[in-house]
C-alpha cells in the first residue's frame, strides 16, 4: 500500500487523542529519573534511564529530528528522492528497517537491541505503520503511539517537543517558530481583508475524491482557528473524509482548492481530466498542494503555512452560481 493509500486506510479508523504524562520533573521524567510517557493509546511506557536506541516511523522520526533528537532506526515510506513527508530526516544516518507500507524487517530491528519504538496511531488502539508486526515488536521493546490526527497542529508539534525532551534533546525552535508565526500573521491578515474566501482540501485514491473534513486534520483545523472558511462536508462514519465519485468532484464550491501532495502520480492524472479542469478554483489558477501528515515541527509547518499564505494572498473570491 502506498503513502496515500496508507493515509486513507488510516483515515478509516477512529481518531487518536493525545495522552499526557504525570511526572514530577520539568523535563517529564519520573521522580527517579526514569523515562515515562503516556501515549495516544492511553498506554504508559516506563523505562529506567533514557532510551538509547530508538527506532521510529518516518514521519515521527522526522518530527523528532527537527526537535533535536536523531533516531537510530527508521521505517515507513522512504522515497528515493526526499520529500516533505520526511522533512530534514537524514536517512543515511539511520538504520532502515522498512522502506514502504507493510515493510518491517524484524530480524534487523531485533539486532539493533532497541530500547523504544515510536510510531503514530489513528485509532487509539494500534500502531500505524507497524500494525502488522505490533505483537512482535512489543516483545522486543516498548512502543509509543503518537497521535496522527485529531489535534490542532500546535498541539501536535508540542507533543513531539515534549517527547524529544524526554529523550534527552533540547529543541532549538525559536527561529522556526518565529517563521511559523510570521506565516500565521499573514494568514490572519488575509482573513481580515477577505473574510469570505473559502478553501477546500481533497485527496484522491481508488478512483474517488476524498473531501477533507477540516476539523479533523491538524493543519486545516488550525487554519480554521485562524478564520479560514471551509465547506461543511458530509464525512463517512469515521468523520475524516467524505468520499465521492470523480463525477461529483464539483460538489462543493471553493475559491481555493488544495490537493493532497502525497500522490504525485494521482494528481498528475487528475490534472488531465476535464471535470477537474472545469472546477472554478482550478480554472482560475487558485489550486495548490495540501501537505497532510508532514512532520510535526515548527520548521516543517513554517514552510507549509508560508505556502498557504502565498496562495491565500493571491486568491480572490470567485463568483458563486
Amino acid at each position: 500500500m502506498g503513502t496515500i493509500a496508507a493515509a486513507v486506510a488510516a483515515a478509516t479508523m477512529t481518531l487518536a487523542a493525545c495522552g499526557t504524562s504525570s511526572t514530577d520533573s520539568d523535563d517529564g521524567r519520573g521522580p527517579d529519573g526514569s523515562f515515562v510517557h503516556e501515549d495516544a493509546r492511553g498506554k504508559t511506557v516506563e523505562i529506567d534511564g533514557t532510551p538509547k536506541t530508538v527506532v521510529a516511523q518516518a514521519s515521527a522520526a522526522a518530527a523528532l529530528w527537527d526537535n533535536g533528537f536523531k533516531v537510530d532506526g527508521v521505517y515507513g515510506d522512504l522515497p528515493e528522492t526526499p520529500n516533505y513527508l520526511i522533512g530534514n530526516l537524514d536517512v543515511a544516518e539511520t538504520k532502515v528497517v522498512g522502506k514502504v507500507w507493510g515493510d518491517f524487517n524484524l530480524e534487523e530491528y531485533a539486532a539493533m537491541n532497541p530500547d523504544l519504538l515510536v510510531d503514530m496511531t489513528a485509532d487509539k488502539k494500534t500502531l500505524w505503520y507497524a500494525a502488522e508486526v505490533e505483537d512482535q515488536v512489543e516483545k522486543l521493546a516498548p512502543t509509543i503511539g503518537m497521535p496522527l490526527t485529531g489535534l490542532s497542529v500546535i498541539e501536535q508539534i508540542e507533543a513531539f517537543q515534549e517527547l524529544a525532551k524526554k529523550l534527552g534533546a533540547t529543541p532549538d525552535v525559536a527561529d522556526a517558530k518565529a517563521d511559523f508565526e510570521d506565516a500565521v500573521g499573514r494568514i490572519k491578515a488575509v482573513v481580515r481583508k477577505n473574510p469570505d474566501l473559502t478553501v477546500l482540501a481533497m485527496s484522491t485514491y481508488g478512483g474517488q475524491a476524498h473531501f477533507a473534513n477540516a476539523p479533523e486534520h491538524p493543519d486545516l483545523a488550525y487554519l480554521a482557528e485562524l478564520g479560514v472558511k471551509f465547506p461543511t462536508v458530509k464525512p463517512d462514519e469515521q468523520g475524516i473524509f467524505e468520499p465521492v465519485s470523480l463525477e461529483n468532484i464539483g460538489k462543493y464550491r471553493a475559491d481555493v482548492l488544495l490537493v493532497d501532495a502525497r500522490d504525485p502520480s494521482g494528481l498528475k492524472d487528475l490534472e488531465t481530466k476535464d471535470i477537474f479542469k472545469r472546477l472554478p478554483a482550478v480554472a482560475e489558477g487558485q489550486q495548490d498542494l495540501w501537505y497532510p501528515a508532514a512532520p510535526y515541527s515548527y520548521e516543517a509547518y513554517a514552510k507549509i503555512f508560508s505556502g498557504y499564505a502565498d496562495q491565500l494572498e493571491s486568491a480572490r473570491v470567485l463568483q458563486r452560481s
Side-chain angles (χ1 to χ4, degrees):
M1 187 181 293
T3 305
I4 184 64
V8 174
T12 64
M13 306 179 198
T14 306
L15 295 177
C18 181
T20 58
S21 298
S22 177
T23 57
D24 294 337
S25 63
D26 291 339
D27 64 359
R29 294 184 177 278
D32 59 352
S34 61
F35 173 91
V36 181
H37 189 85
E38 183 180 344
D39 76 356
R41 299 170 296 175
K43 175 181 176 181
T44 299
V45 173
E46 297 187 37
I47 299 172
D48 291 339
T50 302
K52 300 299 182 184
T53 302
V54 179
V55 176
Q57 184 270 340
S59 55
L64 289 171
W65 203 275
D66 282 353
N67 283 298
F69 182 82
K70 295 185 176 182
V71 300
D72 301 284
V74 65
Y75 62 96
D77 283 299
L78 299 171
E80 294 297 328
T81 302
N83 62 20
Y84 86 91
L85 288 165
I86 62 172
N88 296 307
L89 174 66
D90 189 344
V91 177
E93 291 189 28
T94 68
K95 173 70 174 179
V96 175
V97 295
K99 289 186 177 181
V100 296
W101 174 269
D103 178 24
F104 193 103
N105 192 314
L106 283 166
E107 291 184 0
E108 291 186 356
Y109 177 67
M112 294 179 69
N113 295 315
D115 297 310
L116 181 68
L117 180 140
V118 181
D119 204 319
M120 312 293 284
T121 180
D123 64 353
K124 290 197 296 185
K125 298 176 183 178
T126 58
L127 299 177
W128 187 25
Y129 266 66
E132 294 181 6
V133 293
E134 188 165 349
D135 291 342
Q136 294 97 314
V137 298
E138 286 280 6
K139 295 175 182 177
L140 296 169
T143 66
I144 285 175
M146 296 295 286
L148 180 64
T149 55
L151 303 176
S152 79
V153 71
I154 300 296
E155 291 173 313
Q156 300 279 35
I157 290 170
E158 290 176 348
F160 272 99
Q161 285 182 334
E162 176 192 8
L163 179 58
K165 289 177 181 178
K166 290 180 181 180
L167 291 169
T170 305
D172 182 7
V173 300
D175 290 345
K177 186 175 182 180
D179 290 342
F180 175 80
E181 291 174 345
D182 178 70
V184 166
R186 291 169 59 199
I187 292 169
K188 288 180 177 179
V190 171
V191 171
R192 289 192 296 270
K193 180 181 178 181
N194 211 351
D196 293 326
L197 199 66
T198 302
V199 177
L200 175 65
M202 62 170 287
S203 298
T204 58
Y205 173 66
Q208 288 186 307
H210 298 263
F211 297 123
N213 185 20
E216 302 298 350
H217 299 270
D219 57 341
L220 305 183
Y222 192 61
L223 287 173
E225 284 184 33
L226 299 177
V228 176
K229 288 187 176 180
F230 291 87
T232 301
V233 305
K234 298 178 180 178
D236 60 18
E237 64 275 8
Q238 302 303 326
I240 305 173
F241 287 100
E242 177 186 354
V244 301
S245 65
L246 290 182
E247 289 75 15
N248 291 311
I249 199 171
K251 179 177 181 179
Y252 297 104
R253 290 292 299 246
D255 306 303
V256 175
L257 179 66
L258 300 177
V259 183
D260 199 322
R262 291 173 292 186
D263 185 18
S265 61
L267 176 57
K268 186 176 181 180
D269 179 64
L270 188 65
E271 290 175 334
T272 67
K273 299 183 183 300
D274 289 339
I275 195 169
F276 180 76
K277 295 177 185 178
R278 289 195 297 267
L279 294 176
V282 177
E284 292 297 323
Q286 296 184 174
Q287 170 209 340
D288 209 338
L289 294 176
W290 174 36
Y291 297 96
Y296 290 120
S297 70
Y298 280 115
E299 184 167 355
Y301 277 93
K303 297 174 184 176
I304 290 170
F305 271 60
S306 178
Y308 291 162
D310 289 342
Q311 179 58 252
L312 293 173
E313 286 171 343
S314 65
R316 64 183 180 87
V317 175
L318 305 176
Q319 184 175 358
R320 302 289 194 263
S321 58

